[in-house]
Amino acid sequence: MSQTITVTVNGTAHTAEVEQRQLLVHFLRETLNLTGTHVGCDTSTCGCCTVHLNGEAILSCSLLAVQADGCAVRTVEGLQQDGVLHPIQQAFHENHGLQCGFCTPGMMMAALGVIEQHPDASDEEVREALEGNLCRCTGYQNIVAAVRSAADEMARS
Amino acid sequence: MATVERVTSGGIGDSVLRKEDRKFVTGEGRYVDDLKLPGMLHGAFVRSSFGHARIVSIDASAALAMPGVHAVLTHATLPVVTGVLSASNPGGDVRHPEQAVLAKEFARYVGEPVAMVIADDRYLASDAVNAVHVEYEPLPVVVDAEQALAPGAPLVHAEYDSNLCKTLESITDGFDAALAKAPRKVTLRVHNQRVTPMPMETRGCIGDWSNSTGEVTLYTSTQVAHFVRTFISIVCGTSEAKVRVVTPDVGGGFGAKLNTYREEFAVCAASKVVGRPVKWIEDRTENAVATIHGRDQTQYYEAGVAENGRILALKLDAIQNNGAYNQLLTPSISHLTLFMVPGCYDIQDVSITIRQAFTNTTPTDAYRGAGRPEATHGIERLLDAIADELGLDPVEVRRTNFITEFPYASATGLSYDSGDYAATMDVALGHADYAGFEARRAESKQNGRYRGIGLSTYVEVCGLAPSAVTAALGIGAPGWEHSTVRLHPTGKATVITGTSPHGQGHATSWSQIAQTELGIPFEDVEVIHGDTAFQPYGLGTYGSRSLAVGGIALYRSLGKVREKARELAAHLLECSVDDLEWTGTSWQVKGSPDRAKTIQELAYAGWTAATLPEGIEPVLEATTFHDPPNFTFPFGTHICEVEIDPTTGRIEILQYTAVDDCGNVINPMIVDGQVHGGIIQGLGQALFEETVYADDGQMRTPTLVEYLVPSAADVPPMSLHRTTTPSPSNPLGVKGIGEAGTIAASAAIVNAAVDALSVLGIRHIEMPMQPARIWKLIEEAKS
């Protein structure tokens, strides 16, 4: 069964016919070729596929594409503006908050959600809030530093 | 360590921000699942749901009838000429059971691939997998290695008379006498549990076989592209020269991708059948059963000890669970354990026996540290057990036994290059305020909690490996590494490296080395890797080898280019090469800065070849195949301080201090990152992670819900420090850092927990120290 949906992704409206069972993450990756959003598990545990749906961080592996019909989605590809990195991207770079890079897009999208809701979050609060995003490379220390640094930068601007 | 200022460009020793980062933070990384080839189909595997079974029949008719399904392949129809090969034969006569690409007659572990479906997309392929009907005749199962070696155990491979794969031994002549005369004996059993590497990117590959040319391209998420190419050619029966292996961005490896897997052969062979590219992406549940596991070694130690804690003789009888088959290096992993059993202690009389067993489980192979964490965890637990038995301070027992003179010939045949173990330990003791610990313990006690402190003083063998040694160890592959340095007419540089980074930041570190050694600015250096079509053979990234072997290959190529440039400069400046001095960026006539040629000018002159010295070929380019003369031996001390809540059994890490010595450092920021990640993987094993099989062979931890990878909320901040003892084995004095954290961490954490609970009479705790286990231990000890 197919269905036509319209999803606004990073500010651009996309209309497409999708299988009803298609996951949002596969719609983004396969249909729109936005491959920055990754799949790391099949149990909604790793957070690699985190995107923003109508301004809220969600797991795009746990939502059908048809459920996003009429919604606004923001992915990692929508972070930088005119070639200038978003503060969260700059902070991950400057704090060595990534190694292999696979969890990074989901981690940054989740972190952005945290910062937007709790701009003054402490180290411990950042750690708790990112519990749903796994990284196997960094040990998280530099990720926490990156999130705190990005929060400071976003508060200033 | 004080924060080293981070910079955007620099040479050796600078914390240069990574040039790799931008593509990853913008979502422009290209992992294998991001690649689409024209006409590409999708593969999925039917996997055994039994731990051990005879395959009676496979009925694919329903699957084949589904629209969009192109083929269902089995052992009988998959066009390969042999099974999966192992490169590991330590000591000779290792039993290597046949491992067909798709199970031939028997399935020997849950997850073993039995058939392969090819369909238009992955959803359809998944549907079709469920429509393939396999009739199994279940057979007796054994999952535990000790049980597998017991008389009468079910045989994993009926062609052998037992489940023994290989026995490794290292026994010194004086061992029996040394043990006999030791006044005290200390014994300890340690189980180093099975864990799963769990890179965030699972495995995946695309096979693209051209039936017109016979050329095959494999895109795969691997640490060892050239190994894979060699093995594709053998297994698929084609010329190695026609096989191209491309490694796109790789989302973590940790040893899981230091291998050649059935699926890599299967996608190539399947592409040959359907005449179109075939992609397979492992899902996480498959990853849990189809990608190698690590560890799973049970150790029985006996130490003969003097009253002052000096170890006079050391015995280890260990059983290694190899799983159902030998993967690329399976039998060699516990060989690395054997090497490092004495750790950083001067123990000249040892008796080490490691029996490797086949079981009905996923094969084990290299997981970060690969055999060395097993050795370190064991000996570091034993040191604490000795201290406990003799009423001594664990610090002093270590000091009493430390190796102090280098090079040091170990009882297991290694030559430790350099070290100062006591100095590193003292730095760690200072940072961790070891002297003030008892006051903190008393404070916790007042709050009804148990506080403990634990050390791990480790040494590891890295920089794998001198090729003569790998040959002597029965590894059918060398240990050298390749580099090419190519200067372009515009003075920019391309570095081709045989290493295979997947998070380690080689593009950055290699550029730093190039800037320092050849004067090409960091930003003018491009580092490329990961395509066998244009690279000479490279051995890849594993075993903390990339810098100590690949980095030295680069250093030597840079030196060759610099020396060639010198001859060219002398020719152009009309002087002798002996009249020239290297300024860091140019060759100049000694004392005459106005008579100089920059490396960029020389690159251009070499390319134009308008006038060259006699016997000198055009172009500044050099290639090196560097074979290291010895391993390297990084070391350090990690100290962990924990507090345990007896009402929940939860272990809270209050302080984690690491002092690592990996010789000279190219990029301190990257080194710290490696240590952070390594420690947390060791912590994961100590506290949370365990790959569990039920007795019937079913996997109890097939997803990230059951298998507990630490999250940010589960782990402490770490305090990192360094000492620097250069390796004399290579001109950069480097040692390697990729595995140190993992090798060191688990023992420090367990030692701290045992110390905390020692007041209850608890003398040992097995990993993982999950709260329920700790709570139960405390309750039992109290009653």
Side-chain angles (χ1 to χ4, degrees), chain B residues 198-279:
Chain B
M198 221 55 105
M200 293 318 299
E201 183 206 29
T202 58
R203 290 189 297 120
C205 47
I206 307 170
D208 185 9
W209 193 298
S210 165
N211 282 313
S212 58
T213 65
E215 292 169 339
V216 56
T217 302
L218 176 71
Y219 303 82
T220 186
S221 183
T222 187
Q223 301 169 229
V224 286
H226 281 90
F227 274 136
V228 174
R229 181 179 66 168
T230 300
F231 280 56
I232 291 285
S233 78
I234 297 169
V235 174
C236 295
T238 187
S239 161
E240 191 166 359
K242 285 186 181 292
V243 182
R244 176 186 177 194
V245 175
V246 180
T247 313
D249 290 323
V250 172
F254 315 114
K257 298 169 184 175
L258 161 54
N259 231 305
T260 57
Y261 283 100
R262 299 181 193 225
E263 296 86 354
E264 290 172 319
F265 308 118
V267 294
C268 292
S271 173
K272 187 180 185 181
V273 172
V274 296
R276 290 165 67 172
V278 175
K279 178 194 259 189

Side-chain angles (χ1 to χ4, degrees), chain B residues 424-466:
Chain B
T424 300
M425 184 171 73
D426 287 336
V427 172
L429 293 170
H431 284 295
D433 187 21
Y434 189 79
F437 172 72
E438 288 304 330
R440 300 195 293 277
R441 193 201 295 269
E443 195 178 307
S444 291
K445 193 179 175 188
Q446 285 196 328
N447 297 324
R449 293 170 182 229
Y450 301 106
R451 190 186 280 241
I453 195 163
L455 287 89
S456 172
T457 48
Y458 73 93
V459 60
E460 50 169 335
V461 53
C462 291
L464 277 48

Side-chain angles (χ1 to χ4, degrees), chain B residues 475-687:
Chain B
I475 295 174
W480 45 260
E481 195 47 272
H482 151 265
S483 81
T484 293
V485 172
R486 178 176 299 153
L487 296 200
H488 300 288
T490 55
K492 313 295 187 200
T494 293
V495 168
I496 304 173
T497 180
T499 64
S500 194
H502 42 283
Q504 295 86 346
H506 295 173
T508 298
S509 301
W510 286 194
S511 298
Q512 292 176 247
I513 296 171
Q515 171 167 315
T516 295
E517 296 300 325
L518 198 54
I520 306 284
F522 174 86
E523 49 276 15
D524 286 350
V525 183
E526 289 299 315
V527 177
I528 55 177
H529 56 85
D531 188 338
T532 63
F534 63 76
Q535 281 178 278
Y537 213 108
L539 276 302
T541 286
Y542 51 87
S544 304
R545 71 184 301 275
S546 295
L547 177 58
V549 188
I552 303 306
L554 170 60
Y555 172 90
R556 290 181 55 189
S557 289
L558 293 165
K560 288 177 187 174
V561 168
R562 194 176 59 237
E563 286 308 305
K564 185 171 178 181
R566 181 184 198 168
E567 295 196 48
L568 190 51
H571 178 70
L572 297 172
L573 294 167
E574 298 180 332
C575 65
S576 152
V577 290
D578 294 333
D579 297 333
L580 294 173
E581 60 185 355
W582 176 247
T583 68
T585 55
S586 61
W587 284 110
Q588 74 173 29
V589 177
K590 288 175 184 169
S592 304
D594 55 326
R595 292 187 64 205
K597 293 287 180 188
T598 65
I599 189 69
Q600 289 83 0
E601 288 170 335
L602 294 166
Y604 181 71
W607 173 73
T608 62
T611 172
L612 295 174
E614 198 171 325
I616 295 292
E617 294 177 359
V619 178
L620 292 187
E621 174 167 332
T623 288
T624 301
F625 293 89
H626 171 68
D627 200 9
N630 189 9
F631 298 102
T632 58
F633 294 83
F635 62 94
T637 297
H638 288 207
I639 300 181
C640 179
E641 189 166 327
V642 303
E643 194 176 61
I644 301 177
D645 181 346
T647 62
T648 63
R650 181 168 177 269
I651 296 173
E652 186 184 357
I653 294 180
L654 302 174
Q655 183 174 283
Y656 195 100
T657 307
V659 182
D660 296 290
D661 193 324
C662 59
N664 291 330
V665 167
I666 305 300
N667 184 320
M669 177 193 78
I670 287 176
V671 165
D672 284 352
Q674 288 293 310
V675 176
H676 281 150
I679 289 171
I680 297 308
Q681 281 187 336
L683 176 148
Q685 179 170 15
L687 294 182

Side-chain angles (χ1 to χ4, degrees), chain B residues 81-99:
Chain B
V81 298
T82 183
V84 178
L85 305 172
S86 174
S88 167
N89 193 25
D93 301 327
V94 172
R95 283 174 171 171
H96 282 300
E98 181 185 10
Q99 182 182 179

Side-chain angles (χ1 to χ4, degrees), chain B residues 17 64 122 256 270 325 446 587 657 688 740 761-762:
Chain B
L17 295 173
L64 286 166
R122 65 179 66 178
Y325 301 95
Q446 285 196 328
W587 284 110
T657 307
F688 308 115
I762 289 170

Side-chain angles (χ1 to χ4, degrees), chain B residues 310-328:
Chain B
R310 184 88 172 88
I311 300 170
L312 306 173
L314 176 62
K315 183 176 186 183
L316 170 64
D317 285 330
I319 301 98
Q320 170 66 40
N321 193 331
N322 280 15
Y325 301 95
N326 292 330
Q327 277 285 343
L328 186 67

